[in-house]
Amino acid sequence: MTTPESGQDRTDRSPWNWLLFVPIVLPLLTFLFNADEPRLAGFPLFYWLQLAFIVVGVACTTIVYRMTK
Amino acid sequence: MNPGEHVTEIVIFTVLFLVVSGMGFVAARWRRPQDLASLNEWGLGGRNFGSWITWFLVGGDLYTAYTFVAVPALLFGAGATGFFAVPYTVIVYPLVFLILIRLWSVSHVHSLVTPADFVRVRFGSPTLALLVAITGIVATMPYIALQLIGIEAVLKTMGIAGSGFLSDLPLIIAFVILAAYTYQSGLRAPALIAFVKDILIYLVILVAIIYIPARLGGWEVIFGRAQEKFAATPAQGDGILLNANNQLQYFTLALGSALALFLYPHSITGVLASKNRNVIKRNMSALPAYSLLLGLIALLGYMAIAAGVKPIGTDNNTVVPVLFDQMFPDWFAGIAFAAVGIGALVPAAIMSIAAANLFTRNIYREYINPQATDAQEAGVSKLTSLVVKVGAVLFILLIDPQFSIDLQLIGGVIILQTLPSVAIGLFTRWFHKAGLIAGWVAGMGGGLILLYNISNPAIKHAHFGGSAFPLAKLGLDTKMTIYAGFLALLLNLIVAVAGTLIARAAKVPDGPDGTRPDHFTADEGDPRVKDLDLSSST
């Protein structure tokens, strides 16, 4: 068995984890992005905003990774 | 199409394919293990992959040839609904970050190889573990077959696949090569090949999204032509935006697919092969770079509309290869086809390894030979990986490709039914094993009934015609549809909760929990529970 002192104090609970719910919930809110205008470089809103959510996802995950390292 | 017109493409495709296959064989010597004869080494690459390898391996695993071919095909055929693949891959990484990382820790402590191993230790129930293992194997088989459809679409475009045994020969040869080097090198083969695959794919896609729109007259024109096409079709559900009836389907499909994705045994294999928790966390913040790529790849479907691509026969999966064939010079089309073909090999190898590990650990060791040595386990897994691949080839040869895509939808729905025991089990031991088994039965049965009742007139299937279940069939007065897997999972959870309460009230004995809270946060260097005696508990 494991020795008693191993990893006892480590925890993966952190208030920073709540930030991860932003990229989980945001892409599910279809009313936010189901529109043609405004267009960006020819892309309807539906497409460029969802691609922008990827950047939001990267930002949130990176922040949580840095803060909980 | 006539193969004679495609000589340059065929030569480049073949050369790249063979070079990469050679790498697969050499991979056995890469990061020299002392001995490949254990599942730790053969099936998990020594559990020692750092950030870069994990990035390529997991990425190569989740973004398959099928994704590159089928997602654009969906946009080509139905428009905005196909774009669900983008939100789905945004959602999946935070979920892995929060959930799968705990599976890595507990697997590290208990030397677990499969998700069913975890269920075995956590709930002390060989039956529940067996259900999880069988679910994983059954859900993975059609997924491997789909990789072949990716290769087949490319071969068709080059004019060297159609019907009859001889025309299937190139496909069979490709898979025999894949089977041979996976047998020899295990997870090291796809891990090494993934580097080449990704470099090729990135190159092709970057060129495609700059070169093709420039030739077609820009993104305005591409979206405009797509809009015109959908406006002219009688179908209600298509268009470059969602409509009132498919928004619920869109987000339940995105969420359900994300939950299903990390329950698939092959994604878990990729995660378990990494060295420590930080490698996984760092990857979850870097992997979405692929999602950006996926979003742009998806739009190849609209480019195909704008370019006036006609799919070969009725096979929409050929629109991307045909687009490349029309737009690119022959030599670059050859590279693009090789990228898709090699893109199929990486996930197919990981999937067959994952399915083989499930068989070895949760059926062979549990029920056939409990005293199996490490070397015996590795031997059984190697052989099973061959059997799994033969099965996948038979799928393609004997079954209409369209039908195997439907099977893939079923795969997603059924793998979701392991969520209560695997994903929720990582956080709480509240559920009773009897409740989980009852929930699995209900979710599986319910899911299959829902899928059976989905028809798709476009492909002439009265049953199993997709994953969008019309709510009207439940008696609701609406034209809205919902992802069948989502409903089946809800049913599973409700029955699991009710079953747990009943089992507790009836004082049905529960299995022992072999884990401690600190096992779920253990990291590299922490002591492991070696040689845990799985056969002594019930």
Side-chain angles (χ1 to χ4, degrees):
Chain A
M1 291 300 284
T2 47
T3 46
E5 68 274 15
S6 71
Q8 293 285 35
D9 298 321
R10 200 181 284 127
T11 170
D12 55 0
R13 280 169 202 276
S14 160
W16 286 102
N17 286 344
W18 290 104
L19 197 56
L20 292 176
F21 285 90
V22 174
I24 294 175
V25 174
L26 201 56
L28 301 178
L29 307 175
T30 49
F31 61 86
L32 281 183
F33 50 79
N34 191 30
D36 194 320
E37 301 287 334
R39 287 196 174 207
L40 187 73
F43 283 66
L45 178 82
F46 181 80
Y47 298 89
W48 69 257
L49 193 56
Q50 290 192 84
L51 291 173
F53 289 162
I54 299 172
V55 181
V56 175
V58 172
C60 291
T61 330
T62 308
I63 293 170
V64 177
Y65 165 62
R66 297 267 167 206
M67 302 317 274
T68 60
K69 206 153 54 166
Chain B
M1 287 197 183
N2 178 5
E5 300 164 15
H6 300 274
V7 178
T8 318
E9 292 171 6
I10 293 170
V11 169
I12 290 179
F13 177 86
T14 313
V15 168
L16 282 172
F17 197 89
L18 290 179
V19 167
V20 163
S21 304
M23 286 178 65
F25 287 105
V26 175
R29 274 180 276 164
W30 178 48
R31 299 165 69 91
R32 293 167 300 234
Q34 288 179 327
D35 184 7
L36 259 178
S38 81
L39 277 194
N40 249 337
E41 289 298 339
W42 184 83
L44 288 178
R47 295 186 196 254
N48 198 22
F49 289 159
S51 296
W52 282 101
I53 304 172
T54 304
W55 195 72
F56 283 107
L57 184 68
V58 177
D61 195 7
L62 305 188
Y63 300 89
T64 67
Y66 178 67
T67 323
F68 295 122
V69 165
V71 173
L74 263 175
L75 270 87
F76 179 86
T81 34
F83 212 63
F84 87 92
V86 171
Y88 141 57
T89 56
V90 174
I91 297 167
V92 74
Y93 298 107
L95 284 175
V96 172
F97 194 103
L98 289 171
I99 300 171
L100 270 200
I101 194 141
R102 293 171 64 87
L103 184 63
W104 184 91
S105 287
V106 71
S107 303
H108 177 79
V109 173
H110 290 271
S111 296
L112 310 176
V113 180
T114 70
D117 279 352
F118 164 69
V119 169
R120 177 73 172 82
V121 170
R122 181 66 151 164
F123 295 98
S125 165
T127 313
L128 187 58
L130 179 67
L131 291 178
V132 172
I134 291 175
T135 312
I137 295 170
V138 172
T140 304
M141 285 281 244
Y143 215 147
I144 301 174
L146 282 182
Q147 303 311 315
L148 286 168
I149 288 183
I151 301 186
E152 203 181 30
V154 166
L155 293 176
K156 263 189 198 170
T157 310
M158 292 192 293
I160 48 174
S163 54
F165 176 75
L166 263 185
S167 59
D168 284 324
L169 203 58
L171 194 65
I172 295 173
I173 294 171
F175 238 49
V176 167
I177 297 174
L178 165 74
Y181 66 67
T182 311
Y183 183 89
Q184 181 179 334
S185 308
L187 195 63
R188 284 179 168 78
L192 192 58
I193 293 174
F195 285 95
V196 184
K197 174 211 144 181
D198 276 12
I199 291 166
L200 282 178
I201 295 240
Y202 271 102
L203 176 74
V204 169
I205 297 307
L206 284 176
V207 172
I209 59 166
I210 295 166
Y211 179 77
I212 298 179
R215 277 194 60 184
L216 291 173
W219 291 101
E220 285 288 352
V221 176
I222 291 169
F223 283 109
R225 296 256 178 86
Q227 204 160 9
E228 282 165 29
K229 178 197 155 169
F230 294 127
T233 58
Q236 294 292 311
D238 60 8
I240 65 165
L241 295 179
L242 300 174
N243 57 50
N245 294 328
N246 58 15
Q247 294 197 35
L248 182 66
Q249 163 74 9
Y250 190 83
F251 91 76
T252 50
L253 183 59
L255 178 62
S257 305
L259 292 169
L261 182 68
F262 73 78
L263 290 167
Y264 270 111
H266 60 270
S267 3
I268 290 177
T269 299
V271 169
L272 292 191
S274 48
K275 188 164 65 175
N276 56 38
R277 285 171 67 101
N278 258 341
V279 165
I280 301 171
K281 287 189 173 183
R282 201 177 304 145
N283 262 289
M284 291 313 124
S285 46
L287 271 167
Y290 282 101
S291 310
L292 211 48
L293 197 66
L294 178 74
L296 298 169
I297 292 170
L299 294 174
L300 287 172
Y302 289 169
M303 292 183 209
I305 294 175
V309 164
K310 298 269 177 291
I312 298 173
T314 54
D315 185 359
N316 266 4
N317 288 320
T318 55
V319 296
V320 167
V322 172
L323 176 71
F324 286 165
D325 190 40
Q326 283 184 9
M327 306 300 288
F328 289 144
D330 282 356
W331 65 272
F332 196 75
I335 293 178
F337 293 166
V340 176
I342 296 164
L345 296 182
V346 174
I350 307 172
M351 287 168 193
S352 66
I353 289 170
N357 288 347
L358 279 169
F359 175 80
T360 306
R361 297 280 295 204
N362 310 104
I363 296 176
Y364 172 76
R365 190 173 121 162
E366 185 76 60
Y367 293 97
I368 301 172
N369 180 8
Q371 266 75 50
T373 62
D374 282 357
Q376 278 174 323
E377 281 193 1
V380 170
S381 259
K382 287 168 94 169
L383 280 177
T384 317
S385 81
L386 294 183
V387 175
V388 168
K389 281 197 265 307
V390 171
V393 172
L394 289 180
F395 254 116
I396 296 297
L397 299 188
L398 303 178
I399 296 175
D400 170 20
Q402 183 59 52
F403 187 64
S404 55
I405 292 167
D406 299 342
L407 288 178
Q408 154 66 4
L409 295 170
I410 301 172
V413 173
I414 74 169
I415 199 72
L416 267 180
Q417 306 315 319
T418 63
L419 182 131
S421 16
V422 179
I424 300 181
L426 284 167
F427 288 92
T428 169
R429 183 59 180 74
W430 181 80
F431 285 102
H432 189 286
K433 66 176 181 185
L436 288 171
I437 292 172
W440 182 91
V441 172
M444 201 60 84
L448 291 178
I449 291 171
L450 292 176
L451 289 166
Y452 180 81
N453 282 300
I454 296 172
S455 56
N456 187 343
I459 53 170
K460 297 189 181 66
H461 281 197
H463 304 291
F464 297 111
S467 62
F469 183 77
L471 284 174
K473 291 202 175 179
L474 293 176
L476 299 172
D477 181 26
T478 171
K479 282 184 175 163
M480 282 202 272
T481 57
I482 188 167
Y483 176 49
F486 196 79
L487 281 185
L489 180 61
L490 273 182
L491 179 66
N492 181 335
L493 285 168
I494 292 167
V495 172
V497 169
T500 298
L501 294 174
I502 294 169
R504 291 263 155 73
K507 301 213 165 26
V508 178
D510 202 352
D513 181 2
T515 67
R516 290 206 322 250
D518 59 298
H519 292 171
F520 291 90
T521 50
D523 207 347
E524 186 187 14
D526 285 355
R528 303 178 182 201
V529 182
K530 287 270 183 190
D531 303 320
L532 188 82
D533 187 7
L534 286 174
S535 52
S536 66
S537 53
T538 45

